[in-house]
Amino acid sequence: MDIGLVGLGKMGGNMRTRLRNAGHTVVGFDLDPEKRDVDSLEEMVQALPSPKVVWVMVPSGKITQDTVDALGELLGEGDLVIDGGNSRWTDDQAHAAQLGEKGIGFVDCGVSGGVWGLENGYALMYGGSADDVATAQPIFDALKPEGDFGAVHAGKVGAGHFSKMVHNGIEYAVMQSYAEGWELLQAVDVVDNTTEVFRSWREGTVIRSWLLDLLVGALDEDPGLASIAGYADDSGEGRWTVEAGIENAVATPAITAALYARFVSRQDDSPAMKAVAAMRNQFGGHAVQSAKSSGEPGPEPDLA
Amino acid sequence: MDIGLVGLGKMGGNMRTRLRNAGHTVVGFDLDPEKRDVDSLEEMVQALPSPKVVWVMVPSGKITQDTVDALGELLGEGDLVIDGGNSRWTDDQAHAAQLGEKGIGFVDCGVSGGVWGLENGYALMYGGSADDVATAQPIFDALKPEGDFGAVHAGKVGAGHFSKMVHNGIEYAVMQSYAEGWELLQAVDVVDNTTEVFRSWREGTVIRSWLLDLLVGALDEDPGLASIAGYADDSGEGRWTVEAGIENAVATPAITAALYARFVSRQDDSPAMKAVAAMRNQFGGHAVQSAKSSGEPGPEPDLA
Amino acid sequence: MDIGLVGLGKMGGNMRTRLRNAGHTVVGFDLDPEKRDVDSLEEMVQALPSPKVVWVMVPSGKITQDTVDALGELLGEGDLVIDGGNSRWTDDQAHAAQLGEKGIGFVDCGVSGGVWGLENGYALMYGGSADDVATAQPIFDALKPEGDFGAVHAGKVGAGHFSKMVHNGIEYAVMQSYAEGWELLQAVDVVDNTTEVFRSWREGTVIRSWLLDLLVGALDEDPGLASIAGYADDSGEGRWTVEAGIENAVATPAITAALYARFVSRQDDSPAMKAVAAMRNQFGGHAVQSAKSSGEPGPEPDLA
Amino acid sequence: MDIGLVGLGKMGGNMRTRLRNAGHTVVGFDLDPEKRDVDSLEEMVQALPSPKVVWVMVPSGKITQDTVDALGELLGEGDLVIDGGNSRWTDDQAHAAQLGEKGIGFVDCGVSGGVWGLENGYALMYGGSADDVATAQPIFDALKPEGDFGAVHAGKVGAGHFSKMVHNGIEYAVMQSYAEGWELLQAVDVVDNTTEVFRSWREGTVIRSWLLDLLVGALDEDPGLASIAGYADDSGEGRWTVEAGIENAVATPAITAALYARFVSRQDDSPAMKAVAAMRNQFGGHAVQSAKSSGEPGPEPDLA
C-alpha cells in the first residue's frame, strides 16, 4: 500500500526502509532536505492515493500537535492518521476528536525496539476503532517482528500509547534492577569478574532477558563501564507512568525508584542532601563537607 | 563420576535425574525413606570411591550446618563438599574453614532454574579454588544448560552464593517491575485485554524476558489472577541482598521496594497505617475507619 | 474590617469565629442554611462596603472554580478575592487572570492548623501582589498564631498554595516516619510499653514535634490503636507534591513512600502482588495463597 | 552520688559537666590526658565507693567491647555498668551476660540531644532490671530535661538502645522529609524566599518541630546552603533500623529512602547509573555522557 511518513529520524528512517523492504510505497517527509522524498507535507499528501494513510513519527508534544494540525487541513473524509511517536496517551483522544471532525480516522501506535527494530521488527501496540486498525493492518504487519508476538490491538484510541507508556515504565524499573545488582556485585570483594557472572546469567536463570543481553554487550565493550558517566536522562514516559499511577492510586515504587535514581544522577550536588547535612551539623556538631571539596568528612565529634 | 547427593526434595530430586541422565552415578540420601537411595549419610559416603564428592542440597541455615558437621566427620583429606543450597554467602567461608581443617575441599554453588531446570538445565554460579572447581566440573557440566552460558566460576569461596544472592535480588525487582505495570494497565479503563498486551511484549520489545513469558503463562491460566491472593512470601535472599547493600553503602531502592511490597502483602492490617490514620484524626478531624470495617471512609470534614 | 466568607464548614466556621473574636465583621455564606449569615452570594456581596474583600474557603477544584466564576460576576474594580482553600497552585494564576480582567485582585492563601486553629491560630502562606496582600493583611493578622511565626508572604500568586502543598508533602513523610518507627518498636519483643517510649520523646530528643505530640495523644486514647484500621486516605496535596517533583526532576522518595503506603493501605488485595505470586508459582513451584484465604502459605517446595 | 565516666568527648564531657552541676561526683577517664580526671580505668574504679557505678560513653563496637571487658575485670558483685553510647541493641544482651557472670549489673541507655543536651538535658531511654535502673536513677534524673518527658525505662536490657535506634531511624526520615520539601520549594520559580517560608512554619503548622527550627537556624547562617556540600554521612543507627525492619518483615520505606539518599550523596559517580546509561545506549542509541564530562547530553536521536 501507499504510506505517507512524516519524520525520518533514526526511527522513522529505519521504518521507511523496513516498509519498503516489505513492498510498500513510502512517501517520506522530514524537515531535513537530505532525508526526505518530497519537499512538503502538501506534496506528500498529494502523492498518496485515497484513502490516504499517513504515519506520523515526530517528537511528542508541540511538533506532533503541529503535524496533526497540518494534516487536519490537508486530509479529508476517510483518510487516516497513525501517530507512531511517543505521544502522551492523554493527548490521543484530543487528536482523534480534532481529526474526527473532518472525518479523518486516527490510530495511536506505541513502538518499541530501538535501533534493532529495522532488522528484528518493531513491537507495536495500537489503539483505535476496528475499521481504522484494519486499514493500517498492512503497515503493522510489515513493521512487526516475525512470529506470534509483537503486535496488539490494545483497545480504543489511547490504548496504544498507554500500553507503550506502561512498557517503558516497566523498562525503567527492569534496567534499574540489573543496575543495582551490578553495583552490588562490584562493591564486595568476592567475585573475580562481574562481567562473566552477568554473562552466565543469559541462560538457565530466572532473570534472563534481552536487557540483560544488552548489558552484557555493554560490559564487553567496556568491562568496568569506566568510560560511561553515571548519568541517565529520561524521556518522559517514565514520568507519565508514575503520574498515571498517582492519578489512579496505584503504587509504583520500583518504577518510581528508577525514575528518581535518574533525577539524582543528573545533579552535581543535591539540595536535599545539603539540607540534611545542615541539620546534622546543627544538632550534632557533625562535620559537614564544604561544597565541592573532596575527601572524607572528619570524624564524628559527638562521642569520645 | 560418582556423586553423593544429600537432599532429594523438588530441586535435589530433579538434579539426581539430570545427573543420571548424563551418565553419572548418584547415591542420594534424604530424610524421607521413599526418596533416598541409601539409609544414612554414612552409607552414602561408604558407597563413594575416593576422592569422594558430595553435593549438599538442603535448606540453608541449621540443616546445612548440621550436614556440613556430619560430613566433616565422615569425609577426609582430598574429598570435596559442594553446597548447592541457598546458603548465605557469609556462611561459606566458615564452612570452608571448618572442612579445610580436615583437608576436605569446599565449593559453594548457587543454582537457578526452578522446576524448569530438569529439562532446560540449571544456571550455576560457583566459588572455590581452581582445583576444587576442576574436581566438580563434570557435575557442573551435566547440570548446566546447553550452550555458551549458564555456568560461571565466579571467584573464591562465597562468590557463588553471593552471585546467586544478587541474582535473586535482581529477580525480586524485575518481578515487581512487571507486577506494577500489570496493576497500572488494569487500573485505567483504556486497554481492552491486558493479557494480550503482555503477550504481545514477548517479541520485539525492550522488556522481553523469561519472567514475562512466565507471567503470560500465569495470565493464560487465570486471566485476571482472580484465584491468586496478593500475598507473596520471601525466601531470604532478597533480604540478604538488601542487607549486603546496606553493609556496603550501596543503595538498592528497586530491590528494596520489591521486598517491602512482599512484607506489606502479608499483613492483614498495617500498624504503620494505623498510626498515620490516628495522626490524621488528631489534627484534622479526618474520619478514620474502624478496624476491620469495610467501605469507604466518610467525607473530609475539614473544608466546607 | 468587613469580610465576606464563602464556605462555613469546620475550617470556615472556625475562621469566622476567630475573625469575629478579633473584631472584624464577617458576612458568611454557605450552602447549608443553618450555618450561613446571608442567603446568597449576591446578598453577601451587597452587604460589604467597597473595596469588597471576600475569603473563599470551599473544596478545591470545581466548587472553587464555580465560586470564582460567580464572584467574578458580582465583584468589580478594586475588590479582592482570597482563596484560602486547598486549591492546586497551578490553578491560582488562571483565577488571578480571570478576575484581573475585571480589575479584581486575587491572593491565594494556604492554611494549616486543622481543628486546633480556632484556638491557636492558623499558619498562613499567601501569594499575590504587595498591594493585594496589604489589603488582606488585617485578616491574616487575625487568623495567624501569636508570636513571630506562622504567616508569610511567600511570593507572587500561586506561591501561597505552592508553599502549603510542599508543607503537606513534608507532613505526609513526617507522619510516615513516626508510623514506621511505631510499627518497628512494636514488632520486636524488647520494649515493654511503646506508648511510654513515644511519650518520653516529647522532650530533649531530636525528633520532638507537634505530630509526635498528636501521636502520643492518639496512643493515650487507644494504646495499641486497636480500634483504628490501617487505612489512610489522601487529600490531593501529597499527590500534587510528588507530581511537582516529577515535573521539576526533584526526587522525593520519602514523600512518595508515604503516599504509596496510603494507596496500598486502601486495597483489599494488591493486583501487583497477585502478579508476583503468580510468577513465583510459575518458576519455583512456590505455593500461592488462594484469594481471600487466610493462614500461612505452605512450606517452600523447592528444596529438600 | 559517685559516678565513674569513661569517655570524655563532646558528649561525655558535657555529661560530666551536667552531672557535676547537679551535685554528683564524677571521676572521668579518657584516652586524652587533657580531658581526664584520672590516668587509668583502675584509678577511676578505685576512686569509687561501692557499689561502684560506671557510665560508659565511648564509640560503639570494638571500643565499647574493650571497655566492657576491662570493667569486667575491675568491677565486682553489686557494681553497675551503664552503656550510654550508641551500641547496637543486639550487643547489649551479650554485655549483660558477660558482666552478669561476675554479679555486675548492666543497663543500656540511649541518649539523644546532641550538643544542646548540656543546657537542655538529654533524652534518655534505658533498659535493664528494675533494681539496676533504680541504682542509676539519680544519674538519669540529673541528665534528663526538666518536665514530664525525656526519660523512659523502656524495658529489659536492650530496650534502651533499641528505642534509641528507632528514634534515630525516625530522625533520618524526618530530616529527609524536610530536605525534600526544601529542594522542591527551591526548584520552582514561584516562592521568593524559601527561608522565610520555612521560618513561618515554626508556629501554627502541622509540621512544626525542633528539626524544623534547626533547619531554619542553618538557613539563617547560609540562606541557600551554598557553603555546605550535599554530602551526608551516616552513623550506623539508620542502617540498624532498616536491618531490624527487614529481620522482622517490617517495611520502612521512608527511613530506607533517607538512608539510601545518604549513600548516594557520597558517591562521585554511581555505578548503577553507569549501567543504566550503558543499557540505554545499547538499545536506543541514546547519547551517553563521557565519564566526568560536564554539560548536557546530546539530543535524543531515536525520533525525528
Side-chain angles (χ1 to χ4, degrees), chain B residues 156-266:
Chain B
K156 62 186 176 186
V157 166
H161 281 137
F162 185 79
S163 297
K164 176 58 167 35
M165 178 196 79
V166 173
H167 166 281
N168 278 34
I170 294 171
E171 178 188 315
Y172 273 63
V174 174
M175 290 167 73
Q176 178 72 20
S177 306
Y178 289 115
E180 293 176 8
W182 186 72
E183 178 165 342
L184 182 56
L185 207 64
Q186 285 213 320
V188 177
D189 183 27
V190 63
V191 166
D192 286 341
N193 189 320
T194 55
T195 297
E196 291 314 309
V197 171
F198 267 75
R199 189 192 315 284
S200 80
W201 290 343
R202 294 185 63 185
E203 282 300 334
T205 67
V206 176
I207 61 170
R208 60 189 188 263
S209 73
W210 191 60
L211 274 167
L212 175 67
D213 295 345
L214 291 185
L215 180 51
V216 173
L219 291 169
D220 277 338
E221 293 174 10
D222 178 357
L225 303 180
S227 69
I228 296 175
Y231 179 110
D233 223 326
D234 76 282
S235 59
E237 281 158 319
R239 300 184 188 203
W240 300 341
T241 304
V242 175
E243 288 171 356
I246 290 172
E247 281 159 27
N248 292 282
V250 171
T252 57
I255 297 171
T256 306
L259 182 66
Y260 288 175
R262 293 191 183 189
F263 288 170
V264 172
S265 81
R266 304 200 296 261

Side-chain angles (χ1 to χ4, degrees), chain B residues 11 59 183 231 289 302 304, chain C residues 11 59 183 231 267 289 302 304:
Chain B
M11 287 287 280
E183 178 165 342
Y231 179 110
Q289 214 175 359
D302 60 339
Chain C
M11 287 287 279
E183 178 165 341
Y231 179 110
Q267 291 183 313
Q289 214 176 0
D302 60 339

Side-chain angles (χ1 to χ4, degrees), chain C residues 26 29 42 46-47 89 142-143 201 208 232 244 269 276:
Chain C
V26 181
F29 173 73
E42 291 78 358
Q46 284 164 4
W89 75 282
L143 291 177
W201 290 343
R208 59 190 190 262
D269 205 0
V276 168

Side-chain angles (χ1 to χ4, degrees), chain A residues 10-11 59 115-116 171 176 179 183 225 228-231 233 267 269 272-274 280 282-283 289 291 297 301-302 304, chain D residues 10-11 59 115-116 171 176 179 183 225-226 228-231 233 267 269 272-274 282-283 289 297 301-302 304:
Chain A
K10 187 175 286 189
M11 287 288 278
V115 294
W116 305 75
E171 178 189 314
Q176 178 71 19
E183 179 166 341
L225 303 181
I228 296 175
Y231 179 110
D233 224 325
Q267 292 183 313
D269 205 1
M273 287 302 104
K274 285 170 171 276
R280 291 187 90 222
Q282 290 284 318
F283 68 73
Q289 213 175 0
D302 60 337
Chain D
K10 187 175 286 188
M11 287 288 279
V115 295
W116 305 75
E171 179 188 314
Q176 178 71 20
E183 178 166 340
L225 303 179
I228 297 174
Y231 179 110
D233 224 325
Q267 293 182 311
D269 206 0
M273 287 302 105
K274 284 170 171 277
Q282 291 284 320
F283 69 73
Q289 213 175 0
D302 60 339

Side-chain angles (χ1 to χ4, degrees), chain C residues 49-92:
Chain C
S50 288
K52 300 169 190 290
V53 176
V54 177
W55 183 285
V56 177
M57 203 65 195
V58 299
S60 63
K62 183 175 185 316
I63 301 181
T64 292
Q65 183 62 57
D66 290 348
T67 306
V68 167
D69 291 345
L71 291 172
E73 297 298 316
L74 297 167
L75 299 175
E77 181 79 27
D79 293 338
L80 178 67
V81 171
I82 307 160
D83 179 4
N86 279 325
S87 292
R88 192 164 185 165
W89 75 282
T90 45
D91 290 342
D92 291 323

Side-chain angles (χ1 to χ4, degrees), chain C:
Chain C
M1 65 184 282
D2 291 77
I3 303 152
L5 177 53
V6 184
L8 298 166
K10 187 176 288 192
M11 287 287 279
N14 282 349
M15 288 174 131
R16 176 172 60 180
T17 302
R18 191 168 170 95
L19 287 167
R20 284 177 175 163
N21 289 348
H24 294 297
T25 301
V26 181
V27 186
F29 173 73
D30 193 279
L31 292 179
D32 182 345
E34 303 218 350
K35 293 178 177 168
R36 66 198 183 197
D37 304 315
V38 292
D39 290 335
S40 69
L41 275 183
E42 291 78 358
E43 197 178 334
M44 182 195 79
V45 168
Q46 284 164 4
L48 297 171
S50 288
K52 300 169 190 290
V53 176
V54 177
W55 183 285
V56 177
M57 203 65 195
V58 299
S60 63
K62 183 175 185 316
I63 301 181
T64 292
Q65 183 62 57
D66 290 348
T67 306
V68 167
D69 291 345
L71 291 172
E73 297 298 316
L74 297 167
L75 299 175
E77 181 79 27
D79 293 338
L80 178 67
V81 171
I82 307 160
D83 179 4
N86 279 325
S87 292
R88 192 164 185 165
W89 75 282
T90 45
D91 290 342
D92 291 323
Q93 195 61 52
H95 292 160
Q98 176 183 348
L99 295 170
E101 287 179 9
K102 295 205 166 180
I104 307 167
F106 180 83
V107 168
D108 62 293
C109 182
V111 176
S112 181
V115 295
W116 305 73
L118 172 58
E119 185 174 338
N120 300 341
Y122 299 93
L124 308 173
M125 298 135 254
Y126 32 89
S129 72
D131 283 353
D132 287 341
V133 166
T135 301
Q137 196 64 49
I139 304 176
F140 298 146
D141 290 343
L143 291 177
K144 76 178 281 289
E146 289 186 23
D148 294 335
F149 312 118
V152 66
H153 183 185
K156 62 187 175 186
V157 166
H161 281 136
F162 184 79
S163 297
K164 177 56 168 35
M165 178 196 80
V166 173
H167 166 282
N168 279 33
I170 294 170
E171 179 188 315
Y172 273 63
V174 174
M175 290 168 73
Q176 178 71 20
S177 307
Y178 289 115
E180 292 176 9
W182 187 72
E183 178 165 341
L184 182 56
L185 207 64
Q186 286 214 319
V188 178
D189 183 27
V190 64
V191 166
D192 286 340
N193 189 320
T194 55
T195 297
E196 290 315 308
V197 171
F198 268 75
R199 189 193 315 285
S200 80
W201 290 343
R202 295 185 62 185
E203 281 299 334
T205 66
V206 176
I207 61 169
R208 59 190 190 262
S209 73
W210 191 60
L211 274 167
L212 175 66
D213 295 345
L214 291 186
L215 180 52
V216 173
L219 291 168
D220 277 337
E221 294 174 10
D222 178 357
L225 303 179
S227 68
I228 296 175
Y231 179 110
D233 223 325
D234 76 283
S235 59
E237 281 157 320
R239 301 185 188 203
W240 300 341
T241 304
V242 175
E243 288 172 354
I246 290 172
E247 282 159 27
N248 292 282
V250 171
T252 57
I255 296 171
T256 306
L259 182 66
Y260 287 176
R262 293 191 183 188
F263 289 170
V264 171
S265 80
R266 304 199 296 259
Q267 291 183 313
D268 277 338
D269 205 0
S270 161
M273 287 302 104
K274 284 172 172 276
V276 168
M279 279 182 272
R280 290 187 91 221
N281 187 42
Q282 291 284 319
F283 68 74
H286 289 274
V288 294
Q289 214 176 0
S290 297
K292 306 292 172 193
S293 83
S294 60
E296 288 294 303
E300 297 293 313
D302 60 339
L303 283 181

